[in-house]
Amino acid sequence: MRSPLLDSSSNAPCLTTVTGPLPASAVRGPVLAHEHLVLDLDHAGDGGAVLDAGRHRSAVVAELAALSAEFGLALVIELTCRGMGRDPRALARIAEESCVAVVAATGWYYEPFHPWETAEASVEQLTEILVREIEEGIGGSGVRPGVLGEIGSHGDRPSGRESRALLASAHAARATGLSLATHAQFGRGGLAQLELLAGTGLPPYRISIGHQDLLDDPGTHRELAASGAYVAFDTVGKERYQSDDTRLRLLLALLEAGHADRALLSCDISRHGYLTAEGGQGYGHLFRSFLPAARAAGVDDDLIDLMTRRNPLRFLTGAGTDTATATATEEI
């Protein structure tokens, strides 16, 4: 397995962002671990599940810039992948205009959103697609993905097509040194995803299991964390699916079980109606509402920094893959 990207001058871990390499040590503010800045999931035809690079970019930029100024937001892990309306050039513009770094993704979402290429292709063929994109860039944009995600499944076990996509993503992660974030529909199937991914030899600390705040099952969260995988509480503020009170209870249970170093937090903004310009909770709901509630419940600032900065950086850089990386990431 290839080592993560290292800075040639310092041998310290670097992130691959949409505007180029970024030393992980330069990220001094919080990270949103699972967001969308540009996407199109409009299967219903109503235009709701869209963040358009033209119509909505200025609102997205304004939100990110405001969060940078108010809370020091430093980085967004943008998990829009193949078949989700990904636009790498628009992501680069958003990063430049907001002065917030952005990591782009590659991979495949869950089956209803898979493009034609996954229908008959083998795991080996799908792996080749991903490795080529990671090494050469997305299309002709020159933008290289810095993470695999959000690799999806729905139900308690992945479908055959989803299994091939998950396996290919794991093999690509092993070949390139990138880490991998999943989409577990409504939080279900995370243990099955982990079993499949780790079975390829991909270490659990390079895996984030998504949407676990939608699953009211602290035992599953503990089992995922105990394996070394990251447990993503990444739909914060989506009260239609789960109350933030329940999310906080589940997070506190994970912290009390001693797994604060496995928690990732984000809001998963995936519709333009979620933007603050349209009256939604916005990308800042985590900082303006959920984290103050966590502080009131006894979560201190060091734990918040761990969950919102150090953990996502260690996830992206694969802390622990080798001595150099492990030593360097201790300083993040």
Side-chain angles (χ1 to χ4, degrees):
M1 181 167 59
R2 184 179 304 179
S3 297
L5 181 64
L6 298 177
D7 182 89
S8 58
S9 61
S10 64
N11 209 36
C14 269
L15 313 175
T16 299
T17 79
V18 296
T19 56
L22 175 69
S25 59
V27 179
R28 305 312 305 171
V31 177
L32 287 169
H34 181 144
E35 295 299 341
H36 303 280
L37 307 178
V38 181
L39 92 166
D40 186 350
L41 297 178
D42 185 25
H43 277 196
D46 62 3
V50 170
L51 288 164
D52 185 81
R55 288 181 293 139
H56 305 125
R57 191 188 80 249
S58 61
V60 170
V61 167
E63 282 203 39
L64 298 186
L67 293 175
S68 174
E70 186 174 357
F71 299 102
L73 177 66
L75 178 72
V76 174
I77 303 175
E78 214 278 3
L79 293 181
T80 305
C81 57
R82 301 172 71 92
M84 295 179 74
R86 183 182 54 171
D87 188 332
R89 290 185 177 88
L91 293 182
R93 288 189 64 186
I94 289 170
E96 290 166 351
E97 292 170 2
S98 67
C99 297
V100 173
V102 175
V103 171
T106 190
W108 292 278
Y109 196 32
Y110 72 110
E111 186 169 351
F113 295 92
H114 278 202
W116 63 269
E117 62 202 7
T118 67
E120 301 295 336
S122 67
V123 170
E124 292 74 18
Q125 289 169 324
L126 294 175
T127 302
E128 288 178 10
I129 290 172
L130 297 179
V131 171
R132 186 181 313 115
E133 191 161 83
I134 292 165
E135 294 184 342
E136 299 178 5
I138 301 169
S141 68
V143 173
R144 295 175 57 201
V147 68
L148 289 132
E150 56 180 303
I151 316 302
S153 69
H154 63 301
D156 292 328
R157 300 201 68 84
S159 69
R161 197 165 170 179
E162 290 169 344
S163 292
R164 293 200 308 276
L166 283 158
L167 288 170
S169 299
H171 289 308
R174 295 190 71 226
T176 63
L178 296 189
S179 293
L180 189 158
T182 77
H183 165 93
Q185 183 81 346
F186 301 122
R188 294 172 56 196
L191 289 170
Q193 288 181 341
L194 179 61
E195 179 184 11
L196 197 67
L197 295 168
T200 68
L202 183 65
Y205 55 76
R206 299 192 76 91
I207 301 167
S208 166
I209 303 297
H211 308 326
Q212 291 307 291
D213 52 333
L214 300 179
L215 183 71
D216 194 346
D217 185 351
T220 292
H221 300 158
R222 289 194 300 270
E223 188 172 350
L224 290 169
S227 77
Y230 288 91
V231 182
F233 284 58
D234 53 11
T235 67
V236 173
K238 289 188 170 181
E239 296 271 350
R240 171 185 172 190
Y241 300 104
Q242 184 78 280
S243 73
D244 276 356
D245 287 343
T246 298
R247 287 187 177 89
L248 182 56
R249 170 174 57 79
L250 293 170
L251 179 62
L252 292 174
L254 188 65
L255 301 185
E256 289 163 4
H259 296 302
D261 63 340
R262 298 295 97 185
L264 298 176
L265 303 177
S266 209
C267 297
D268 189 22
I269 298 302
S270 55
R271 303 174 70 89
H272 61 84
Y274 291 142
L275 298 173
T276 56
E278 299 193 16
Q281 70 270 29
Y283 301 99
H285 180 84
L286 176 68
F287 305 112
R288 295 192 174 108
S289 180
F290 189 77
L291 291 180
R295 288 187 176 94
V299 179
D300 64 28
D301 286 344
D302 184 67
L303 275 180
I304 287 174
D305 180 73
L306 178 67
M307 293 187 290
T308 63
R309 187 180 67 87
R310 286 154 24 220
N311 283 352
L313 291 177
R314 288 168 177 164
F315 162 67
L316 284 175
T317 58
T321 56
D322 55 40
T323 302
T325 301
T327 301
T329 49
E330 287 174 2
E331 300 174 1
I332 291 175

